[in-house]
């Protein structure tokens, strides 16, 4: 037989088991993590959660009970945060904590009445994922049959209200619209419980800002622009019973320059009932060059608005400055 030469034997290199196989301690740790639907899990501060888990974090559908406040969140979770659709409710006897509730940025008044606007624009309820640890002896009992009041129902993202949702305020007001990072942002409708008025339009940073319509309880309505929660810019105010319409410029929630015209009487029986306006037409305008007067006043208002916006002065207009006494 021909000589084939020496036989070469290859040595198999024994690799470390942890390189190709999952370490045993890692397998035990993965088995210890909660996954899937689990029974009630109690937290160290008394909170409890029942629902779905993924790798030890709340993920999926579940219900979370806050022991410190008695509040309940029921909805979707993602990576231990409220994300998706969910509802947040509080006990009907809960009193809002002034140290945790989000209040209005500054007190101001409405142009329609002398009431503070903080009453018309209620503050956002406090929605904290982790309630403070209750003190010994003050821990709220876990009563699933207690009466709850819904505070918010809608979309969440990273534990904040984000997307389309409805918020129910303590005073009975209701906001239905868009949210961004836990504040009203975009298009939405707010029904005020204090005076039964309804605003529908644009919002920015929790305030009326942009185009919107304000419908009052008596049927009067404003259609126009808002700036930092005040009527500012071109707008129209319709007096339903007086049958008149003002259209022109607004500044700091007040009409400044425009025209007032008559509207036709109300149609049907409503225009004939007691209390309907008798027809007193507006006298004929005898001012020379009214369009030039309006144009001059409008230009002055625009300059004043630009000054206030650039300098951040939203409290006084030029008319207010002229009325101040000289030192």
């Amino acid at each position: 037989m021909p000589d084939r030469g020496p036989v070469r034997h290859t040595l198999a290199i024994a690799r470390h088991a942890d390189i190709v196989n999952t370490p045993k301690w890692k397998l035990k740790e993965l088995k210890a993590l909660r996954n899937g639907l689990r029974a009630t899990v109690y937290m160290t501060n008394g909170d409890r959660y029942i629902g779905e888990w993924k790798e030890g974090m709340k993920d999926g559908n579940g219900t979370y009970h806050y022991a410190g406040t008695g509040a309940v969140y029921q909805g979707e979770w993602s990576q231990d945060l409220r994300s998706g659709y969910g509802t947040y409710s509080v006990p009907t006897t809960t009193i809002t904590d002034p140290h945790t509730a989000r209040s209005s940025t500054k007190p101001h008044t409405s142009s329609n009445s002398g009431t503070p606007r903080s009453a018309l624009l209620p503050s956002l309820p406090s929605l904290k994922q982790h309630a403070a640890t209750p003190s010994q002896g003050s821990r709220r009992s876990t009563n699933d049959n207690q009466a709850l009041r819904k505070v918010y129902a809608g979309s969440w993202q990273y534990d904040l209200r984000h997307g389309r949702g409805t918020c129910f305020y303590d005073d009975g007001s209701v906001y239905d619209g868009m949210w961004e990072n836990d504040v009203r942002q975009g298009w939405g409708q707010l029904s005020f419980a204090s005076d039964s008025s309804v605003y529908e339009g644009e919002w920015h940073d929790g305030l009326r800002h942009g185009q919107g319509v304000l419908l009052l309880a008596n049927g009067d309505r404003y259609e126009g622009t808002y700036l930092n929660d005040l009527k500012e810019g071109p707008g129209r105010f319709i007096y339903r019973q007086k049958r008149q319409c003002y259209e022109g410029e607004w500044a700091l929630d007040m009409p400044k320059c425009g025209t007032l015209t008559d509207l036709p009487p109300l149609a049907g029986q409503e225009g004939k009932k007691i209390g309907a306006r008798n027809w007193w037409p507006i006298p004929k305008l005898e001012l020379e060059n009214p369009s030039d007067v309006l144009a001059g006043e409008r230009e002055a208002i625009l300059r004043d608005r630009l000054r206030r916006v650039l300098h951040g002065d939203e409290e006084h207009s030029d008319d207010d400055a002229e009325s101040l006494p000289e030192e």
Side-chain angles (χ1 to χ4, degrees), residues 140-167:
R140 186 182 295 268
S141 61
T142 57
N143 181 14
D144 292 334
N145 296 324
Q146 63 181 345
L148 296 175
R149 179 181 64 84
K150 186 180 297 183
V151 172
Y152 177 79
S155 299
W156 300 75
Q157 186 180 61
Y158 304 124
D159 222 35
L160 300 175
R161 288 167 287 190
H162 192 95
R164 177 69 181 272
T166 304
C167 188

Side-chain angles (χ1 to χ4, degrees), residues 15 25 34 51 58 70 75 80-81 90 107 131 134 140 146 163 170 173 193 217 243 245 269 280 292 294 298:
R15 298 178 180 273
W25 66 268
R34 302 184 183 96
K58 296 182 285 291
D80 236 16
L81 299 175
V90 298
R140 186 182 295 268
Q146 63 181 345
D170 294 340
S173 301
R243 306 309 299 153
C245 174
Q269 295 297 324
W280 294 307
D292 295 340
L294 288 176
R298 185 176 292 108

Side-chain angles (χ1 to χ4, degrees), residues 257-280:
C257 170
T259 59
L260 185 67
T261 57
D262 280 322
L263 297 176
L266 292 172
Q269 295 297 324
E270 190 173 3
K272 301 178 181 179
K273 67 180 182 180
I274 299 176
R277 179 199 176 218
N278 295 325
W279 194 251
W280 294 307

Side-chain angles (χ1 to χ4, degrees), residues 241-253:
Q241 295 297 328
K242 294 170 60 176
R243 306 309 299 153
Q244 290 178 344
C245 174
Y246 166 82
E247 187 169 4
E249 290 289 332
W250 295 70
L252 297 176
D253 230 22

Side-chain angles (χ1 to χ4, degrees), residues 207-219:
L207 301 176
R208 293 173 288 189
H209 193 97
Q211 293 292 325
V213 176
L214 177 65
L215 179 63
L216 303 181
N218 62 357

Side-chain angles (χ1 to χ4, degrees), residues 181-234:
N181 295 328
D182 222 38
V183 296
R184 299 179 290 249
Q185 182 81 15
W187 193 269
Q189 181 186 84
L190 179 57
S191 301
F192 300 96
S194 57
D195 59 358
S196 301
S197 61
V198 178
Y199 170 81
E200 183 174 1
E202 295 178 295
W203 297 79
H204 176 69
D205 199 21
L207 301 176
R208 293 173 288 189
H209 193 97
Q211 293 292 325
V213 176
L214 177 65
L215 179 63
L216 303 181
N218 62 357
D220 296 350
R221 73 177 184 268
Y222 168 79
E223 304 171 355
T225 57
Y226 281 83
L227 177 65
N228 294 331
D229 215 52
L230 298 174
K231 302 181 186 72
E232 186 80 36

Side-chain angles (χ1 to χ4, degrees), residues 295-312:
E297 290 295 326
R298 185 176 292 108
E299 184 178 354
I301 293 172
L302 293 178
R303 287 198 305 266
D304 175 61
R305 180 178 303 143
L306 181 61
R307 177 189 60 80
R308 288 187 288 107
V309 171
L310 291 179
H311 296 280

